[in-house]
Amino acid sequence: MFLALLELRAARGRFLLMGSVVVLVAALVGIVSGFTTGLGDDTVSALRRLPAAQLVFSSDARSDQFARSLLDEKTAAAWRADADTEATPLGVSITRGTTNRGTEVDLAAFGVEPGSFLDPSVTAGDGLAGAAADSIVMSAKLADEGVRVGDTLVIDRLGIELHVIGLTERSSYGHVPVAYVPLKTWQRIRFSTPGAPASAAAIPGQFSALALRTPPAGTSTATLDKRHSTTTLTKEEAYEAAPGYTGERVTMSSIQVFLYLIAPLVVGAFFAVWTVQRQPELALLRALGASRRRLLAHTVLQAALVVVLGTAGGAVLAGAVGLLVGEQVPFSLPATTLAATMCTVAAVGLAGTALTLRRVTRADPLTMLGANR
């Protein structure tokens, strides 16, 4: 151990350079992980907060189900009767509106039955239960964009006026802040034709999905889907129905995988060169009676110090980036995610040192000493 530390001190310039590379690689992996988590939250956080176990869609919607699926109350009643579980309609659509103070916002309108288990709890103002039909409870993300409780929000092109009565926790869908409205109001937003006279009779009583509070009891979902021409997904499976979720996850995960592949190659290449340069020292240690196990421990200790300290520095840098960007971009790096990511970086980095171990263990003191004379 003393010799390992002595070499680190003697060649501190080289090891500082290598440590800096490890810091940057670890920080980059952490930053990418933060963006992966942040983008995922910004796409499906509203779905994650739904107190539902499964979501039922129409069978003809095989992708982008929230945009393409349409169910009616007849199907919902049949599901309630056969599934023996609490179920409530859910409507999802993205729209745009302008407040009476001139603030323009995009919003994901979630249509729910007031008083149902999907009706969100509020952190300020009033909830939808018992409120007027033109009421809306907005996410805190809309408040960040300038919307206030008490404002009137007019849906663009449709002229539908909604009164903001409450505020709920931060949530979004497809990178758009969520606002909860009564289901009938959502149906007006979803099915109204711009410029056409409003007529309640012309608005179909349909919705995007049926939310099940618990899985069906007694009958399998496959049987119920076949009976009612529906497709049932778990809440986690329904994340893929959110716009852009799958593509973003695949892209960011691919970048992470490549960084995990780069880390061991960089560390391994450095220590391979370092081992070649230390051939005379290794030969001398073997000639003085040092065992292969001791030389291995010596090499692994150096690699561990460089990789672990570099990874720790990268973790600090990634955390600093998260604090710097704040809530301006979709970035989320919880301590557990950061720790898991940095442990993976350290592990693959140490795995790269395996490229150098064979040369260390095969050191022949007589041949190597003779070759230097």
Side-chain angles (χ1 to χ4, degrees):
M1 179 176 180
F2 175 75
L3 183 59
L5 296 176
L6 190 63
E7 283 190 342
L8 285 172
R9 181 180 178 183
R12 55 183 175 273
R14 298 178 186 179
F15 283 104
L16 283 174
L17 178 61
M18 182 56 204
S20 300
V21 174
V22 175
V23 168
L24 293 177
V25 171
L28 185 56
V29 174
I31 292 170
V32 170
S33 179
F35 279 118
T36 301
T37 305
L39 287 170
D41 289 342
D42 206 45
T43 303
V44 298
S45 60
L47 299 180
R48 285 183 179 144
R49 290 190 173 93
L50 289 178
Q54 295 178 325
L55 293 168
V56 181
F57 300 95
S58 59
S59 59
D60 57 343
R62 304 187 183 278
S63 63
D64 298 330
Q65 284 91 341
F66 287 108
R68 299 180 179 180
S69 171
L70 287 176
L71 297 174
D72 54 25
E73 186 55 41
K74 180 180 178 181
T75 303
W79 255 93
R80 291 190 190 98
D82 292 347
D84 191 24
T85 184
E86 190 174 356
T88 186
L90 171 66
V92 178
S93 61
I94 296 177
T95 186
R96 183 175 178 83
T98 305
T99 68
N100 56 310
R101 292 184 294 108
T103 303
E104 297 181 355
V105 292
D106 294 316
L107 65 150
F110 273 40
V112 299
E113 289 284 5
S116 69
F117 65 86
L118 292 185
D119 191 353
S121 58
V122 296
T123 57
D126 301 320
L128 292 178
D134 60 353
S135 301
I136 179 174
V137 172
M138 65 175 181
S139 160
K141 290 192 69 175
L142 278 174
D144 295 341
E145 297 184 12
V147 184
R148 299 288 181 266
V149 174
D151 284 355
T152 298
L153 182 68
V154 180
I155 301 300
D156 290 357
R157 300 190 304 160
L158 300 178
I160 299 174
E161 293 188 359
L162 303 175
H163 299 284
V164 182
I165 64 169
L167 181 71
T168 187
E169 58 188 4
R170 296 176 64 86
S171 58
S172 56
Y173 170 80
H175 304 299
V176 179
V178 165
Y180 298 87
V181 298
L183 183 63
K184 291 188 179 298
T185 301
W186 176 86
Q187 290 167 346
R188 291 175 58 203
I189 296 173
R190 172 66 173 81
F191 298 111
S192 294
T193 302
S199 174
I203 304 298
Q206 296 177 316
F207 41 87
S208 303
L210 186 67
L212 308 181
R213 191 163 198 170
T214 59
T219 307
S220 67
T221 56
T223 301
L224 293 172
D225 284 337
K226 185 176 181 181
R227 184 182 303 170
H228 302 297
S229 298
T230 56
T231 299
T232 302
L233 302 176
T234 64
K235 186 170 65 174
E236 291 72 21
E237 291 173 338
Y239 294 165
E240 297 184 4
Y245 180 77
T246 302
E248 289 172 355
R249 296 286 293 184
V250 170
T251 300
M252 302 304 290
S253 298
S254 299
I255 295 174
Q256 278 188 290
V257 169
F258 276 107
L259 290 174
Y260 286 139
L261 294 176
I262 290 171
L265 294 178
V266 171
V267 175
F270 171 81
F271 279 98
V273 173
W274 176 243
T275 302
V276 171
Q277 293 176 340
R278 293 164 55 224
Q279 293 301 309
E281 290 83 357
L282 292 173
L284 180 59
L285 289 173
R286 290 287 288 127
L288 292 175
S291 65
R292 289 187 175 88
R293 180 177 296 179
R294 184 172 182 180
L295 293 182
L296 282 175
H298 168 77
T299 303
V300 171
L301 177 60
Q302 285 183 340
L305 287 173
V306 173
V307 171
V308 172
L309 292 178
T311 303
V316 172
L317 183 57
V321 170
L323 294 176
L324 182 64
V325 298
E327 297 178 354
Q328 300 176 6
V329 296
F331 187 94
S332 176
L333 193 58
T336 53
T337 303
L338 179 61
T341 301
M342 294 302 108
C343 287
T344 305
V345 172
V348 298
L350 289 175
T353 62
L355 301 173
T356 67
L357 297 182
R358 184 172 179 271
R359 183 178 290 274
V360 173
T361 58
R362 291 173 65 89
D364 187 344
L366 295 178
T367 302
M368 297 176 70
L369 286 173
N372 286 288
R373 293 191 173 189

